[in-house]
Amino acid sequence: MCGIVGAIARRNVVPILVEGLKRLEYRGYDSAGIAVLDGDIKRVRRVGRVAEMENAANEIGLSGQIGIGHTRWATHGGVTEPNAHPHVSGELIAVVHNGIIENHDEKRAELKAKGYVFESQTDTEVIAHLVHSYYLQERNLLAATRKAAAELTGAYAIAVIAQDQPDLMCVARMGCPLLIGLGEGEHFVASDVSAVISATRRVIFLEEGDVGELRRDSLALFDQQGNSIERPVHVSDVSLASLELGPYSHFMQKEIHEQPKALADTIEQVLDEGFATDLFGPKAADILPQVDSVLILACGTSYYAGSVGRYWLEAIAGIPCQVEIASEYRYREAVANPKQLVVTISQSGETLDTMEALKYAKSLGHKWALSICNVRESAIPRASDLVFYTRAGAEIGVASTKAFTTQLIALFALTATLAKLRGKLDADKEATYLNDLRHLPGSVQHALNLEPQIKLWSQQFAAKDHALFLGRGVHYPIALEGSLKLKEISYIHAEAYPAGELKHGPLALVDNNMPVVVIAPNDTLLEKVKSNMQEVSARGGELFVFADLDSHFSESEGVHVIRTPRHVGVLSPVVHAIPVQMLAYHAALQRGTDVDKPRNLAKSVTVE
């Protein structure tokens, strides 16, 4: 959730740290800070945006050839400057940290008994004082970092510098992402490759329990047992252009409009292979024919993608499927089925709840795991037997758009592949599905062309405090997704229900101040949806209907209709996701909220 960047070089690293923190702003944060060595530890922290911290650093002429930086999303302690990172102990040790230290109260009591005084409410200050206490014993920063890390329970990514060691930085990782960037005579550390991409494309992803020692001309890595190790070097394919706004006003707007290309790029691998096991990796040919059911684990938007996948898997592949919120699944007594395929869905591949849910599933006896992910070599794919990488490209806006729709493509590919293996997809139907996929980006572009009409609708939503979304069948999760998007970025309270459930309670909410959005594709449930709309109209509710071009709807008093492309069959949820994204975006603009960085939220959720 927070962001880490660090650098050790033969040049002033402050501009590198500041730029890196700006690249990490999309992850969500409420304060920022950097610390460098310039004789002493020089530190600048500010509540608010990175730009405010940057101005303060420039005012004092902050400079140094080694330093660490951080953007914080508050967990322990409020949004205050004393709680902002980096944290310092004894003017000797500076630390930045992502994650949650679960035993911080216990360690805080032990350290207070030793005379340490705490200036913040954070769990991170415990780490700084722990490292300091061990460093005083033998002046070995690597040993001190390793010993401190061994006492921590929970999730962490840590970068540490010492006032009297200007040629050394140490790092440690457990449960939260951390990578090392390789340069010429310089090294970098970051929680996300975007933070170092302007300096290097060569990166090493640390594994669970790794500890590292970075110098300008050398790098040493050790596993949790202290053994010297090597990790593979990857060349990142993230482009700087993908991290820039270009002609768009917001990253969310850019990413909504990038969906035809993101979908085409993701679909391309399916068209190249057909619905074949090769799509999911070399082990898939052995694993997928043995699968008798599917368990999907995900959070937030990815959970709604999984919910669409459930409809597809059961209707097309004839295979039982359950979808679980990862943070709930990992804490309940679940019954494992060794022949069930566990599918995790995560844009970042680092979502802590999803990663922990996967570990829990394995501990129960699940044998096989498939990861659907947008970030190569991230933690969840590395922990999975099978993987399908979506090709959405970098997604910066906190509210997911193109990651969601490309996840749907991955789930449809899995559905069709399992259907084929189970004898439920003949050659003609496979050809039809592949042709539908081929034409899907064009239908999405058609939906994007509805933006002017949706923008007009948004003016009516911006004045409201509540909204209701309705859908049926496979489009009910799209209603849920639309509701989530609207509340995420416009702060309008929104709920979503299956339209048939309206009469069992939610209808009590309907009046002329409650706009009701209806997902109404031209499918077998259309007449049922029309009946549910009548229930709303009869109570004075105002309807905003997204209907397919070939369905028979007409506008009337209190009924507004926008026509999406002609019905595209089973892939209709992908097309109908576009207008609800647009509606949320423009409603947020009308209300003047921070579209890309909504309050209280973060992009990469690496804490519970």
Side-chain angles (χ1 to χ4, degrees), residues 146 208-211 221-229 231:
R146 182 187 291 126
E208 293 285 87
D210 283 359
V211 179
L221 298 178
F222 305 88
D223 64 17
Q224 201 166 3
Q225 290 71 45
N227 303 311
S228 179
I229 52 169
R231 298 295 185 206

Side-chain angles (χ1 to χ4, degrees), residues 167-447:
D167 300 317
L168 174 64
M169 179 186 300
C170 289
V171 297
R173 185 230 187 218
M174 180 67 73
C176 291
L178 198 65
L179 61 86
I180 294 170
L182 309 178
E184 297 294 329
E186 55 190 15
H187 283 104
F188 311 92
V189 60
S191 48
D192 188 317
V193 70
S194 63
V196 297
I197 197 67
S198 61
T200 182
R201 292 187 176 279
R202 300 175 63 239
V203 297
I204 292 172
F205 298 99
L206 297 185
E207 300 283 350
E208 293 285 87
D210 283 359
V211 179
E213 183 181 68
L214 286 67
R215 300 181 185 273
R216 291 175 178 82
D217 295 308
S218 66
L219 169 66
L221 298 178
F222 305 88
D223 64 17
Q224 201 166 3
Q225 290 71 45
N227 303 311
S228 179
I229 52 169
E230 292 187 8
R231 298 295 185 206
V233 177
H234 301 271
V235 179
S236 174
D237 59 0
V238 173
S239 69
L240 281 173
S242 70
L243 305 175
E244 303 291 347
L245 271 173
Y248 297 98
S249 300
H250 302 91
F251 280 107
M252 184 178 181
Q253 181 191 31
K254 178 188 182 206
E255 288 152 14
I256 288 173
H257 283 272
E258 286 177 338
Q259 284 175 108
K261 183 180 187 306
L263 288 165
D265 289 346
T266 303
I267 289 167
E268 180 184 23
Q269 57 194 317
V270 182
L271 297 179
D272 288 345
E273 298 285 347
F275 297 119
T277 57
D278 289 351
L279 286 169
F280 306 97
K283 297 180 181 179
D286 293 328
I287 292 173
L288 292 184
Q290 301 181 64
V291 169
D292 70 0
S293 59
V294 175
L295 168 64
I296 298 175
L297 303 173
C299 303
T301 286
S302 295
Y303 171 76
Y304 296 145
S307 298
V308 174
R310 178 189 176 188
Y311 283 95
W312 283 337
L313 284 159
E314 295 196 344
I316 297 171
I319 191 166
C321 177
Q322 63 190 103
V323 188
E324 298 258 8
I325 296 172
S327 59
E328 289 294 311
Y329 173 81
R330 61 183 287 206
Y331 289 118
R332 74 174 184 82
E333 297 293 329
V335 178
N337 172 6
K339 285 196 165 186
Q340 189 172 54
L341 177 67
V342 178
V343 178
T344 56
I345 310 174
S346 168
Q347 190 282 140
S348 67
E350 305 285 355
T351 308
L352 183 63
D353 282 324
T354 307
M355 183 70 199
E356 292 301 317
L358 174 58
K359 291 178 182 176
Y360 178 58
K362 288 183 174 181
S363 75
L364 293 177
H366 285 283
K367 294 192 299 183
W368 307 314
L370 162 66
S371 168
I372 295 173
C373 183
N374 191 43
V375 180
R376 291 185 177 274
E377 302 301 331
S378 49
I380 297 175
R382 292 201 305 270
S384 303
D385 308 283
L386 313 178
V387 63
F388 185 105
Y389 286 115
T390 58
R391 296 177 179 176
E395 189 178 67
I396 305 301
V398 166
S400 180
T401 52
K402 60 180 180 174
F404 173 70
T405 51
T406 53
Q407 286 168 356
L408 293 180
I409 299 304
L411 287 161
F412 185 76
L414 175 64
T415 297
T417 301
L418 287 172
K420 189 175 177 180
L421 289 170
R422 295 165 67 85
K424 294 182 177 294
L425 185 67
D426 60 27
D428 289 344
K429 196 63 175 177
E430 179 178 14
T432 298
Y433 283 165
L434 290 171
N435 190 56
D436 290 345
L437 284 172
R438 189 174 289 109
H439 290 95
L440 184 62
S443 296
V444 167
Q445 184 58 59
H446 185 158

Side-chain angles (χ1 to χ4, degrees), residues 97-109:
H97 158 236
N98 287 354
I100 295 286
I101 305 304
E102 296 174 0
N103 61 336
H104 70 98
D105 281 335
E106 171 193 335
K107 292 300 170 186
R108 182 184 293 260

Side-chain angles (χ1 to χ4, degrees), residues 472-527:
R472 294 198 78 144
V474 72
H475 293 86
Y476 166 50
I478 302 305
L480 286 164
E481 175 63 7
S483 165
L484 176 64
K485 286 290 162 284
L486 189 66
K487 57 193 164 197
E488 272 185 311
I489 62 170
S490 74
Y491 315 147
I492 296 171
H493 171 247
E495 299 290 343
Y497 286 90
E501 186 71 5
L502 193 62
K503 57 187 174 292
H504 296 293
L507 198 56
L509 297 171
V510 172
D511 60 19
N512 58 9
N513 288 315
M514 170 76 82
V516 179
V517 179
V518 183
I519 313 299
N522 190 19
D523 60 14
T524 57
L525 292 172
L526 179 59
E527 293 307 315

